[in-house]
């Protein structure tokens, strides 16, 4: 059972466009993390949100944690070719072991 | 990269042979993890460790064993490799945060395993 559903799974857009990727679950998480992964490399953490309703910004990326802590979104403004990659969301339960549950990811291609 | 090194980075092995993947960290973090990543499934936890000789199963642990005899090394063993274990394997460590920062998970660069 996939606890975290990401949508869309694939997206190909032109440079300069905006996009939003969603991460949804029926479960409550204590934290929600977003990662970006490039081919041949491991995922790299972009942000962690821990409070319901929290919004964090990282340059052109805006992350939001749902009020009920069951969902999250990532919005990219004016996408650049360098944003191309696999975007993964992961939910944490808050225990010390931090066993994350990952979504399947959204593969983004930004064409110049 | 939080000082994580995986070896080997690439390996081709035959069905039925044992395979061991090594994860080495240089910063004495307590928690270490092994994930596998497959198309259509995303990242799935195989085993994790919360200290020397303390390990536990993840969601896809069948066919895998782990050992952690030293803080810095976490070994993943496929006792008898099968084609279904062809995958990319990632080691990760957890660095505890405070307040609103949460914990940070750092991943290694991955080990590509092909079982033929």
């Amino acid at each position: 059972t996939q606890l975290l559903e990401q949508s869309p799974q694939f997206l190909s857009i032109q440079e300069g466009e905006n996009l939003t990727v969603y991460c949804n679950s029926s479960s409550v998480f204590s934290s929600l993390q977003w990662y970006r992964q490039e081919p041949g490399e491991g995922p790299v953490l972009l942000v962690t949100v821990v409070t319901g309703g929290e919004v964090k910004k990282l340059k052109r990326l805006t992350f939001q944690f749902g009020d009920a802590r069951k969902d999250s979104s990532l919005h990219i403004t004016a996408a650049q070719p360098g944003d191309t990659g696999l975007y993964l969301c992961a939910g944490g339960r808050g225990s010390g072991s931090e066993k994350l549950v990952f979504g399947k990811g959204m593969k983004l291609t930004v064409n110049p | 990269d939080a000082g994580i090194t995986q070896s080997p980075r690439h390996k081709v092995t035959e069905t039925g042979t044992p395979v061991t993947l090594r994860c080495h960290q240089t910063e004495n973090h307590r928690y270490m993890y092994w994930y596998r990543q497959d198309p259509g499934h995303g990242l799935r936890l195989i085993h994790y460790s919360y200290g020397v000789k303390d390990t536990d199963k993840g969601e896809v642990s069948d066919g895998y064993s782990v050992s952690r005899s030293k803080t810095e090394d976490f070994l993943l063993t496929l006792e008898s490799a099968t084609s279904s274990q062809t995958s990319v394997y990632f080691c990760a460590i957890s660095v505890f945060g405070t307040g609103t920062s949460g914990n940070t998970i750092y991943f290694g660069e991955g080990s590509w395993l092909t079982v033929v």
Side-chain angles (χ1 to χ4, degrees):
Chain A
T1 302
Q2 192 72 29
L3 295 181
L4 279 169
E5 298 288 341
Q6 286 189 241
S7 61
Q9 294 184 35
F10 302 92
L11 189 61
S12 180
I13 60 174
Q14 295 301 120
E15 182 176 0
E17 292 185 33
N18 301 331
L19 68 118
T20 301
V21 55
Y22 300 94
C23 179
N24 296 307
S25 176
S26 58
S27 301
V28 176
F29 293 99
S30 61
S31 67
L32 203 297
Q33 302 183 351
W34 285 93
Y35 293 81
R36 179 168 169 266
Q37 184 179 18
E38 298 193 32
E41 299 182 6
V44 176
L45 181 67
L46 295 173
V47 77
T48 300
V49 285
V50 299
T51 304
E54 181 178 4
V55 177
K56 283 190 175 179
K57 292 189 176 182
L58 184 65
K59 296 183 180 179
R60 294 177 292 100
L61 279 60
T62 301
F63 306 85
Q64 185 166 7
F65 201 11
D67 291 341
R69 290 186 288 131
K70 294 182 178 181
D71 54 81
S72 181
S73 64
L74 159 60
H75 181 80
I76 301 179
T77 303
Q80 304 294 314
D83 295 327
T84 294
L86 179 69
Y87 289 82
L88 297 157
C89 66
R93 299 292 190 187
S95 64
S97 65
E98 200 60 271
K99 292 183 292 182
L100 297 176
V101 175
F102 281 85
K104 294 181 182 181
M106 189 275 292
K107 187 173 182 181
L108 174 66
T109 302
V110 182
N111 302 297
Chain B
D1 62 0
I4 303 171
T5 305
Q6 290 186 230
S7 60
R9 293 292 315 281
H10 296 87
K11 186 174 181 65
V12 179
T13 192
E14 294 185 350
T15 298
T17 61
V19 177
T20 295
L21 306 180
R22 178 181 182 240
C23 178
H24 178 78
Q25 57 141 332
T26 59
E27 300 182 1
N28 293 321
H29 295 293
R30 181 180 174 190
Y31 289 95
M32 299 183 74
Y33 312 81
W34 277 107
Y35 286 87
R36 60 178 289 176
Q37 187 174 33
D38 305 286
H41 291 279
L43 280 156
R44 293 179 292 175
L45 182 65
I46 306 171
H47 281 279
Y48 68 101
S49 171
Y50 43 95
V52 173
K53 297 185 179 179
D54 289 325
T55 65
D56 207 347
K57 297 178 179 180
E59 63 178 300
V60 290
S61 59
D62 288 348
Y64 302 95
S65 62
V66 290
S67 66
R68 193 164 178 203
S69 58
K70 298 183 292 184
T71 299
E72 58 266 36
D73 289 326
F74 191 31
L75 304 180
L76 176 70
T77 297
L78 290 65
E79 301 292 345
S80 178
T82 67
S83 58
S84 66
Q85 293 176 311
T86 292
S87 186
V88 184
Y89 292 86
F90 287 99
C91 174
I93 63 170
S94 180
V95 179
F96 290 115
T98 57
T100 60
S101 64
N103 295 341
T104 300
I105 309 297
Y106 292 96
F107 285 86
E109 294 183 320
S111 294
W112 273 254
L113 177 66
T114 302
V115 183
V116 297

